[in-house]
Amino acid sequence: SLCQNILEGCETIFGVCIIIKLNESLSKFLPHDETLKNSIYSLCTVPNGRAHGGSFAHRGELRQAKRIVVKLGSAVVTRGDECGLALGRLASIVEQVAMLQNQGREMMIVTSGAVAFGKQRLRHEILLSQSVRQALHSGQNQLKDMSLPVLEARACAAAGQSGLMALYEAMFTQYSTCTAQVLVTNLDFHDDQKRQNLNSTLQELLRMNIVPIINTNDAVVPPPEPNSDLQGVISIKDNDSLAARLAVEMKADLLIALSDVEGLYNSPPGTDDAKLIDIFYPGDQQSITYGTKSRVGIGGMEAKVKAALWALQGGTSVVIANGTHPKVTGHVITDIVEGKKVGTFFSEIKPAGPTVEQQTEMARNSGRTLASLHPDQRSEIICQLAELLTEKKEEILAANKMDMDLAVSAGHLPPAMLKRLSLSPAKLNSLAIGLRQIAVASQDSVGRVLRRTRVAHNLELEQITVPIGVLLVIFEARPDCLPQVSALAIASGNALLLKGGKEAANTNRVLHQLTQEALSMHGVREAVQLVSTREEVEDLCRLDKMIDLIIPRGSSQLVRDIQRAAKGIPVLGHSEGICHVYVDADASVDKVIKIVRDSKCDYPAACNAMETLLIHRDILRTPLFDQIIDMLRTERVKIHAGPRFASYLTFSPSEAKSLRTEYGDLECCMEVVDSMQDAVDHIHKYGSSHTDVIITENEDTAEQFLQQLDSACVFWNTSSRFADGYRFGLGAEVGISTARIHARGPVGLEGLLTTKWVLRGDGHTAADFSEHGTMKYLHENLPVGQPLAGRRDSN
């Protein structure tokens, strides 16, 4: 409110300066309050999201870019042999530009390629001319080896310019988009009258919804002079500088510079430890080392960075990205405009906190120390966190009330989500109890010996449990997930990166601070990190070199989106919770009513709630069937009839659109089956391998169901709602997995461990065991509890 009053009472530029100074002061007192800082920074932007007279501060704001310049480097436009154009690549770029133009944006292209196109044409003409002359002189068709003269670049440009433009025009015509050619030189920018004429021409073309295709007039341009920039003005030495100069002149919102590298690296790409820089800030030039320039063109990465910084200073946002990669070229421009993490984004505003890459690195380093702690120390951390949940109860609930009030006033969260968002003293007490269970279980987790083998004399092997590495847990509006998952990560010695829903931002912030406070007691504060930047989930899923496992906690749509977005990172979770309850012919009436009510009505939004009720055919038109229907009606459960069930009824409920539906509400599908085997077949066909239940008094039938059904959880005479880590005695869970490998069902501590093999020898070699060697394999299994000879106990 104070910041808004400042902006209303001052001229905008002075108001922004005051607010920035205020934010610097607040940072000293609230160093970890990223939400507050981001909120204050957001007030320093005009309605369209741009800072006053400046560029966009965050990638997400690029969606608001209205006027966009796309610079196509020589390596993007030309083929690998440098003679001719990469037509497929060019066509996909044209399609993206046309699509953005048709969305109402103003698009301009700065293109290379005239020299390459002209070189192709001139070579063809020279070869044709030489072959004709040779044929006339020799009188025969056999041609001798012909050498081509070195072609002068300006002549190639003159020959290729018209053909290049004709190609662009033909491509854009396919999308009903008109283009116009504009050739420029340095004089067009240095001469005020010419610069005004150029500006006027381009403005008029954009007003008429025409895409200007701009290039330096390479047929007449002189060779570039080194270090010829005027003070405060960038000279037109290449298309990088042309694009930057043009973007600033035309007050473009965004300049996209496409080249043959992924973006800007801290050292030349391909060298050891070279890392792609996600966001580059002015003043960071000293932290990078430039390599050689690309295979074609006259500008290198250093020229691109210089041009980008000049454009940024002039108020235009810049992204440098790869326009040649076959897997991304078809959507690289649209991805950038949508704010996705592509290439290197140039920003003037450096965030107060670390980047997500830095957070991941901090978590990994601290996580290795966490894994090396004694089990008692990890247990102490978890017990301390449990104590803090009780001690700081009022602070947690106050933050949660802020989130609840905001969610209710916004009115966009359904009741089920609001219930998940809400915390209470009872919930916090349950959390603390669960954490203490995890603390006990952590005593026998990391470093547990699973197998011991005497391979040969003085050569002994162990298989032991170890942490997976860095976990990324993405969860929606459920703040109780944060301490649960943190405790499991601590117990298993894993580093943890948390991305919570914005609806629970205040609660998550407090809970994370308490988690780090508990971790500090043994010097591993940074092992659990909360991502509070504007990082998109899809961008996090691309950190395949930094994250070892992704665990989504939330709706089936969230899980599916993450499974689709994950690039080379395993995802542990279930996309759907289509749980079945089968009522057998030998079922008990009391158990049926009780179990079906609890499975559907206890928490309809949960992934372990019943979604399909299967009824044995013999139960139809019996008092039990009537009681089931009456109970569901009393609980206001909407019934959708399966095709077989509908065929038995004269007036049936609405027919189910699909037998594979997760309703997540007081709705369910009801279907009829002929037998237990029929029920199993139905579940295998339409279920999601989550949790399925049989209600019967026939033990043989029940055992067949439990053995035959291939689901993560199979229950007999109990509610599907028991599929939960806390109820299983795991203390908590990071999620429920329906995968066929690694962890399955509620995933607790055990599911966050993997194994490694430790072999202890005494100068052994493989040659010792060859046909002519002196040693023989023994492969004797040893008791797990028996110490190995010469083993040093790390604890």
Side-chain angles (χ1 to χ4, degrees), residues 35 520 659:
T35 304
S520 298
L659 295 176

Side-chain angles (χ1 to χ4, degrees), residues 638 640-643 654-661 663 669:
K638 184 178 181 180
H640 301 276
S654 62
E655 192 163 337
K657 294 180 180 178
S658 169
L659 295 176
R660 194 180 284 113
T661 301
Y663 296 100
C669 173

Side-chain angles (χ1 to χ4, degrees), residues 30 56 110 112 115 137 143 171 262 301 408 464 526 591 594 604 608 611 617 632 647 681 708 733:
L30 300 169
F56 293 118
V110 174
S112 302
V115 173
H137 282 93
L143 305 178
M171 287 183 172
E262 303 300 323
M301 185 54 74
V408 171
I464 63 173
E526 307 301 337
K591 290 178 183 176
K594 188 177 179 181
N608 57 12
E611 302 294 1
R617 181 184 58 189
L632 292 174
S647 69
D681 293 342
Q708 292 183 33
E733 66 183 32

Side-chain angles (χ1 to χ4, degrees), residues 51-260:
H52 180 81
S55 56
F56 293 118
H58 306 281
R59 281 186 184 269
E61 297 171 352
L62 297 180
R63 300 184 185 97
Q64 303 165 21
K66 169 73 173 175
R67 182 170 288 180
I68 302 171
V69 175
V70 178
K71 180 261 173 182
L72 306 179
S74 300
V76 176
V77 177
T78 62
R79 296 197 314 242
D81 61 4
E82 301 175 23
C83 291
L85 305 179
L87 296 179
R89 193 183 301 150
L90 204 56
S92 67
I93 290 171
V94 166
E95 181 180 17
Q96 294 171 79
V97 171
M99 185 181 76
L100 293 171
Q101 178 82 2
N102 292 333
Q103 290 176 357
R105 304 180 198 268
E106 297 174 339
M107 304 298 297
M108 293 179 279
I109 293 178
V110 174
T111 183
S112 302
V115 173
F117 198 29
K119 186 185 291 185
Q120 182 187 37
R121 292 182 64 183
L122 291 180
R123 280 188 173 185
H124 179 76
E125 292 298 325
I126 292 170
L127 285 172
L128 183 63
S129 175
Q130 287 181 346
S131 64
V132 170
R133 285 199 304 271
Q134 192 174 26
L136 290 173
H137 282 93
S138 63
Q140 55 187 349
N141 292 328
Q142 290 186 351
L143 305 178
K144 299 177 182 177
D145 293 335
M146 294 178 291
S147 59
L148 288 171
V150 177
L151 298 174
E152 205 271 331
R154 283 189 285 255
C156 292
Q161 197 65 251
S162 60
L164 177 65
M165 192 59 213
L167 181 62
Y168 272 119
E169 187 171 354
M171 287 183 172
F172 273 105
T173 299
Q174 304 302 312
Y175 303 97
S176 303
T177 302
C178 186
T179 59
Q181 181 183 28
V182 180
L183 296 176
V184 297
T185 64
N186 238 335
L187 293 176
D188 295 316
F189 289 94
H190 290 169
D191 183 282
D192 288 342
Q193 185 60 51
K194 289 185 177 181
R195 192 176 75 253
Q196 291 174 14
N197 292 342
L198 174 62
N199 188 304
S200 177
T201 298
L202 293 173
Q203 294 285 6
E204 184 64 14
L205 291 173
L206 293 174
R207 187 187 67 80
M208 293 189 293
N209 202 32
I210 295 172
V211 177
I213 311 289
I214 305 143
N215 196 1
T216 52
N217 192 352
D218 292 328
V220 298
V221 71
E225 298 179 13
N227 302 319
S228 60
D229 289 353
L230 301 177
Q231 185 174 4
V233 179
I234 190 168
S235 296
I236 308 302
K237 303 173 185 176
D238 48 49
N239 275 346
D240 295 312
S241 52
L242 168 60
R245 189 72 192 271
L246 184 76
V248 173
E249 179 68 30
M250 296 301 297
K251 295 183 172 59
D253 300 314
L254 174 62
L255 166 60
I256 299 174
L258 298 182
S259 183
D260 58 351

Side-chain angles (χ1 to χ4, degrees), residues 679-692:
V680 169
D681 293 342
H682 178 102
I683 295 169
H684 282 160
K685 185 174 182 180
Y686 298 109
S688 60
S689 301
H690 191 294
T691 301
D692 299 291

Side-chain angles (χ1 to χ4, degrees), residues 267-580:
S267 58
T271 60
D272 292 341
D273 300 324
K275 292 183 179 179
L276 179 66
I277 299 173
D278 172 37
I279 305 177
F280 187 79
Y281 305 99
D284 283 356
Q285 295 96 314
Q286 304 302 320
S287 65
I288 59 175
T289 304
Y290 298 105
T292 58
K293 63 180 187 175
S294 64
R295 59 178 173 82
V296 288
I298 59 175
M301 185 54 74
E302 189 170 4
K304 290 174 175 56
V305 172
K306 184 176 182 180
L309 291 174
W310 193 87
L312 188 68
Q313 186 180 8
T316 297
S317 294
V318 183
V319 175
I320 296 177
N322 192 339
T324 64
H325 197 295
K327 291 186 177 179
V328 300
T329 301
H331 47 83
V332 60
I333 298 173
T334 52
D335 280 355
I336 290 170
V337 176
E338 288 173 8
K340 295 180 181 179
K341 187 177 285 189
V342 178
T344 299
F345 172 61
F346 286 71
S347 175
E348 290 186 294
I349 299 179
K350 198 163 190 174
T355 66
V356 68
E357 289 84 0
Q358 290 169 334
Q359 283 187 287
T360 309
E361 193 66 34
M362 290 159 59
R364 183 182 289 279
N365 293 337
S366 193
R368 286 171 177 152
T369 305
L370 173 68
S372 68
L373 294 178
H374 191 279
D376 288 342
Q377 294 175 301
R378 289 194 295 271
S379 179
E380 287 172 6
I381 294 172
I382 299 167
C383 287
Q384 177 64 17
L385 178 54
E387 291 296 324
L388 289 171
L389 290 179
T390 305
E391 291 175 13
K392 306 287 186 178
K393 177 171 56 179
E394 299 303 324
E395 184 180 346
I396 298 168
L397 294 176
N400 186 245
K401 186 178 185 303
M402 291 173 60
D403 289 328
M404 288 294 293
D405 290 345
L406 288 170
V408 171
S409 61
H412 65 274
L413 283 186
M417 290 282 279
L418 282 173
K419 187 175 179 181
R420 286 180 179 175
L421 177 61
S422 175
L423 290 180
S424 65
K427 265 192 178 182
L428 291 177
N429 288 336
S430 295
L431 277 173
I433 292 170
L435 263 57
R436 291 187 181 96
Q437 289 179 345
I438 296 171
V440 173
S442 69
Q443 295 285 341
D444 185 30
S445 56
V446 180
R448 187 173 79 255
V449 179
L450 302 177
R451 175 176 176 170
R452 284 180 176 168
T453 303
R454 180 174 286 113
V455 178
H457 182 65
N458 282 340
L459 184 63
E460 295 170 333
L461 179 69
E462 284 182 325
Q463 184 186 20
I464 63 173
T465 57
V466 293
I468 290 173
V470 178
L471 311 177
L472 167 62
V473 177
I474 302 168
F475 55 102
E476 293 179 316
R478 47 193 315 161
D480 57 334
C481 177
L482 193 151
Q484 288 178 335
V485 172
S486 297
L488 287 169
I490 294 165
S492 57
N494 285 291
L496 179 61
L497 204 62
L498 293 158
K499 174 66 173 174
K502 60 183 178 182
E503 301 86 0
N506 294 295
T507 316
N508 288 340
R509 175 175 51 81
V510 173
L511 291 172
H512 178 248
Q513 288 173 353
L514 297 180
T515 303
Q516 290 203 317
E517 183 179 336
L519 287 162
S520 298
M521 69 186 299
H522 287 299
V524 287
R525 175 187 178 88
E526 307 301 337
V528 176
Q529 297 283 327
L530 179 65
V531 179
S532 55
T533 60
R534 301 186 181 192
E535 214 71 31
E536 296 290 342
V537 168
E538 188 172 336
D539 294 330
L540 290 172
C541 292
R542 292 175 178 171
L543 300 176
D544 58 304
K545 291 185 174 67
M546 310 180 79
I547 293 169
D548 300 297
L549 180 66
I550 301 175
I551 305 172
R553 293 288 306 270
S555 66
S556 58
Q557 187 60 50
L558 171 73
V559 179
R560 282 194 295 269
D561 289 344
I562 291 172
Q563 288 173 333
R564 193 162 37 245
K567 306 295 182 183
I569 309 175
V571 178
L572 190 152
H574 63 282
S575 59
E576 293 173 308
I578 305 174
C579 302
H580 294 72

